[in-house]
Amino acid sequence: QVQLVESGGGLVQAGGSLRLSCAASGRTFSSNAMGWFRQTPGTEREFVASINWKGSRTLYADSVKGRFTISRDNAKNTEYLQMNSLKPEDTSVYYCAAGAYIGVSSDRDDYNYWGQGTQVTVSS
């Protein structure tokens, strides 16, 4: 079993930056592909970014390409989401996710473990 804990959310003005962190414990970090999703009230959880277990491949939603960067440090069992040029529409609760599969995926069903979420609010 893998436990995930997100941190780094907060309030930022449009155009600013935040870096989210996801600390993993339990099963080894390198054994899982990981990703980030976001969800606002009344909507389905939306894919943001994914990275494979080796950190050699990444996948991004079109809405964040060129602005967000996903990375991982397996020695620290930590995944990161660097968010630059933030927009008000990026406001959401962001969730770290992990799956036993190897590869990158935008499908929620490919992820078995989820963090508790961290709030990101971008003001105009």
Side-chain angles (χ1 to χ4, degrees), residues 51-58 72 104:
I51 188 166
N52 73 338
W53 69 279
K54 290 184 177 181
S56 58
R57 294 186 62 197
T58 57
R72 67 192 295 169
V104 293

Side-chain angles (χ1 to χ4, degrees), residues 24-43:
S25 62
R27 202 173 302 276
T28 58
F29 186 79
S30 60
S31 296
N32 299 279
M34 300 190 73
W36 289 93
F37 289 73
R38 62 189 183 186
Q39 186 173 25
T40 55
T43 69

Side-chain angles (χ1 to χ4, degrees), residues 74-89:
N74 289 346
K76 297 181 179 180
N77 288 338
T78 302
E79 180 194 29
Y80 304 95
L81 184 68
Q82 178 66 47
M83 304 184 294
N84 298 327
S85 302
L86 283 162
K87 305 175 181 179
E89 50 262 46

Side-chain angles (χ1 to χ4, degrees), residues 20-21 23 29-30 32 48 54-55 61 73 86 94-95 103 108:
L20 306 183
S21 298
F29 186 79
S30 60
N32 299 279
V48 176
K54 290 184 177 181
D73 186 340
L86 283 162
Y94 284 72
Y95 296 88
R108 295 187 302 273

